[in-house]
Amino acid sequence: MYAIGKVDIGKKRTRNEDSIFVSNSPVGILPNLLIVADGMGGHKAGGIASELAITSFCEYIRNHEHIDIRTREDVTILLKLGIRHANHEIFEKAKTDEAYAGMGTTFTVATVIDNIVYLAHVGDTRLYLINDRSIFQATTDHSLVQEMLEQGYISENEMNEHPQKHIITRAVGTYEKVKVDTLIYDLSKVKYLLLCSDGLTSMLTNEEIHEIIKTRDESLEEMVDGLIEAANVKGGTDNIAVVIAKKQEVNQAC
C-alpha cells in the first residue's frame, strides 16, 4: 500500500482538532500504519487529545517491536493494546489540568500485512474499502445516531440532519477504560482504503465520496484534495481529515 493524507480546518471552525498519521514504512513490527483521530474537549483540548493519542499509540508500537505477530489475532491484539495505552495517557493527562478535563478523541488505525487490512476503531472516524464499482464502510460508528438507526428510531437519510449527530458514545481518553473494535478484511478485491473524520462524512454521502475517488483515479493527492474541497463546498462545518491508501500490486512487502 502507498498512502497520503491531509487535514483541513474547514469553513466554520476556528481551530483544528483532527490529527492524522501516515507511514508507508515500518513502525515497530508493523510494515505500515495509517491513523485518523478527531479530538474533543474544551479550549484546545481536543487537538491535544488527538495528537497525544497518535503519539502514545505509535510509542507503544515502537516499544513492542520484538513481539511475535505470527497470527491475525496477534496483530489485532497489538492494535487494541496500543489504543488502550493511548487511552491511559490521555485520561491521566486530563487529571493534570482542569482545562483538559473530559477531553478525548476518536481513533481509527489500520495496517496492511500480506494483502490483509487489520484495523482497530473507537468513535465515528471511519475506514472505507473501495474499488471501481463499490464503496464499503468497514467500521461502525460509535455514535448516538448510529444507535438510533439500529433501534429503528431514525432512517439512514435522517442521520446527517439529526441535531445530535455529533454525539459519540465511545471515545479514547474520556474514561479509565475503553472498548475497542477490531476487524480484519481481505483486500483481494479492494483498490483503495479511505480513513476519514466526520468532517468529511457529515458533508458527503458515500456515493459522492466514491464518485470523487473514481474520477481522480490517477492521483492520490487529487483524490484527497477533491474530497476536502467538496466537503468545504457543502459547508465545511467541521475539521476534515482524509487519508487514502492505494494498493500497489507490485509491492510484495505489504
Side-chain angles (χ1 to χ4, degrees), residues 27-100:
V27 178
I29 194 66
L30 301 178
N32 47 70
L33 197 59
L34 312 174
I35 305 172
V36 170
D38 179 359
M40 60 183 190
H43 181 61
K44 295 186 179 179
I48 291 170
S50 63
E51 291 176 4
L52 180 57
I54 289 176
T55 301
S56 301
F57 178 89
C58 292
E59 175 187 54
Y60 185 90
I61 298 302
R62 292 187 178 103
N63 288 342
H64 292 78
E65 62 181 347
H66 300 300
I67 69 168
D68 288 327
I69 53 170
R70 288 177 289 185
T71 70
R72 294 181 177 184
E73 185 180 16
D74 291 337
V75 181
T76 58
I77 288 174
L78 177 61
L79 297 180
K80 184 180 292 188
L81 291 176
I83 293 178
R84 288 178 177 171
H85 172 72
N87 186 81
H88 172 78
E89 293 297 307
I90 296 169
F91 185 76
E92 290 300 314
K93 186 173 183 63
K95 295 178 181 179
T96 66
D97 190 323
E98 193 172 307
Y100 298 155

Side-chain angles (χ1 to χ4, degrees), residues 46-254:
I48 291 170
S50 63
E51 291 176 4
L52 180 57
I54 289 176
T55 301
S56 301
F57 178 89
C58 292
E59 175 187 54
Y60 185 90
I61 298 302
R62 292 187 178 103
N63 288 342
H64 292 78
E65 62 181 347
H66 300 300
I67 69 168
D68 288 327
I69 53 170
R70 288 177 289 185
T71 70
R72 294 181 177 184
E73 185 180 16
D74 291 337
V75 181
T76 58
I77 288 174
L78 177 61
L79 297 180
K80 184 180 292 188
L81 291 176
I83 293 178
R84 288 178 177 171
H85 172 72
N87 186 81
H88 172 78
E89 293 297 307
I90 296 169
F91 185 76
E92 290 300 314
K93 186 173 183 63
K95 295 178 181 179
T96 66
D97 190 323
E98 193 172 307
Y100 298 155
M103 72 175 177
T105 184
T106 68
F107 200 88
T108 300
V109 56
T111 187
V112 177
I113 304 172
D114 296 330
N115 212 37
I116 301 290
V117 61
Y118 300 82
L119 67 101
H121 165 63
V122 177
D124 64 355
T125 40
R126 295 180 181 176
L127 185 143
Y128 289 92
L129 308 177
I130 302 170
N131 60 28
D132 292 334
R133 293 178 295 178
S134 64
I135 179 169
F136 171 69
Q137 183 181 329
T139 52
T140 299
D141 294 348
H142 304 135
S143 66
L144 180 61
V145 292
Q146 180 66 36
E147 291 186 358
M148 293 173 71
L149 174 69
E150 292 171 358
Q151 294 169 13
Y153 293 116
I154 60 174
S155 68
E156 193 165 343
N157 290 334
E158 292 172 313
M159 290 178 69
N160 281 341
E161 302 302 324
H162 197 279
Q164 295 175 305
K165 65 181 180 179
H166 293 301
I167 297 177
I168 59 174
T169 55
R170 207 187 297 180
V172 176
T174 53
Y175 295 99
E176 191 170 4
K177 295 183 179 180
V178 64
K179 183 179 180 181
V180 180
D181 288 356
T182 57
L183 297 161
I184 300 171
Y185 287 98
D186 188 297
L187 295 180
S188 57
K189 297 181 179 180
V190 175
K191 192 172 185 179
Y192 300 105
L193 301 180
L194 166 65
L195 288 80
C196 58
S197 65
D198 69 337
L200 181 73
T201 55
S202 63
M203 294 289 100
L204 303 178
T205 65
N206 290 356
E207 291 74 20
E208 288 170 330
I209 291 170
H210 190 220
E211 186 63 27
I212 290 168
I213 289 176
K214 283 196 303 181
T215 56
R216 292 164 172 79
D217 189 56
E218 297 304 314
S219 169
L220 290 186
E221 186 167 7
E222 286 184 12
M223 289 180 195
V224 171
D225 290 342
L227 289 170
I228 290 172
E229 180 183 2
N232 279 324
V233 167
K234 285 290 190 75
T237 59
D238 202 352
N239 310 142
I240 308 159
V242 177
V243 173
I244 298 181
K246 183 176 183 180
K247 189 162 64 174
Q248 302 285 311
E249 297 292 346
V250 297
N251 187 351
Q252 299 302 316
C254 292

